[in-house]
Amino acid sequence: MAETSDRPATDAVDDVLAGDRVGGPVPGAAADPLVSEPADPGRPRRRRRTMSGKFVAGLVILGLFVLMAAIGPLVAPYDPSNLGPDVLAPPSWQHWLGTTGTGQDVLSQLLVGARQTLIIGVLAGLIATAISTIIGVTGGSSAASPTTCCPCCPTCSWWSPRCRCSSC
C-alpha cells in the first residue's frame, strides 16, 4: 500500500526540484544526466565548464593573426618595400588588397608588418604589467598612504602628475 502524506503533492515536487529526494530515489528511474556522482566520494564534484562562443572566436582570430605573423613574410606575393608602376590600383587578382600611392602591394605590407605589430603589442603588455606590478607591490607594502606626497587634500594621489585640487 502506498504511503500517504498530509503534505500537498506540490510540496513534494518542490522538494525534488530543490534537490531533496522525498523517500529516496525512485526505483527504476534513470539517473539525472546533469548530476554526476564523484568518482571518489571524498572529492568534491566539479562542473564541466564550457567555453563561450566569444572566447572561441577570439582565440581563432588571435591564432590566425599569430599564424599570419609567423608565416607572412614567407608567403608575401611581393616585396613590401619595392616601388611598382601600379599606383593606387584597386583590389584585383594581381594585388588582392590593392596598392599604395607609391605602388607597393598592401597585402605584402600587411603580412610582413604583422610580425612587428605582434612583437610590439606583446612587449607593451609586458612592460605595462611590470610597471603596474612594481607600483602595486610598492603601494601595498608601504605604510604611508598615497596622499602623503601631497597632504593638502585626500583627493590628490601620488601617481598624478600634478595636484588637481584648488587649494594647492
Side-chain angles (χ1 to χ4, degrees), residues 5-26:
S5 172
D6 46 346
R7 294 190 320 171
T10 57
D11 286 345
V13 171
D14 290 339
D15 289 342
V16 170
L17 292 177
D20 300 332
R21 300 270 181 197
V22 179
V26 178

Side-chain angles (χ1 to χ4, degrees), residues 2-67:
E3 291 182 18
T4 58
S5 172
D6 46 346
R7 294 190 320 171
T10 57
D11 286 345
V13 171
D14 290 339
D15 289 342
V16 170
L17 292 177
D20 300 332
R21 300 270 181 197
V22 179
V26 178
D32 190 359
L34 298 177
V35 178
S36 62
E37 295 300 321
D40 182 14
R43 287 181 56 193
R45 181 178 38 193
R46 285 196 246 171
R47 299 188 97 184
R48 183 173 170 230
R49 293 185 182 175
T50 59
M51 292 187 280
S52 70
K54 292 178 184 178
F55 181 74
V56 172
L59 278 180
V60 167
I61 292 170
L62 181 65
L64 288 174
F65 191 76
V66 169
L67 180 70

Side-chain angles (χ1 to χ4, degrees), residues 93-126:
W93 288 107
Q94 189 176 12
H95 301 286
W96 286 10
L97 295 178
T99 60
T100 63
T102 56
Q104 298 164 322
D105 185 53
V106 176
L107 177 63
S108 298
Q109 288 182 339
L110 180 73
L111 291 173
V112 172
R115 180 176 290 172
Q116 286 85 12
T117 302
L118 189 64
I119 290 171
I120 289 172
V122 168
L123 284 177
L126 290 174

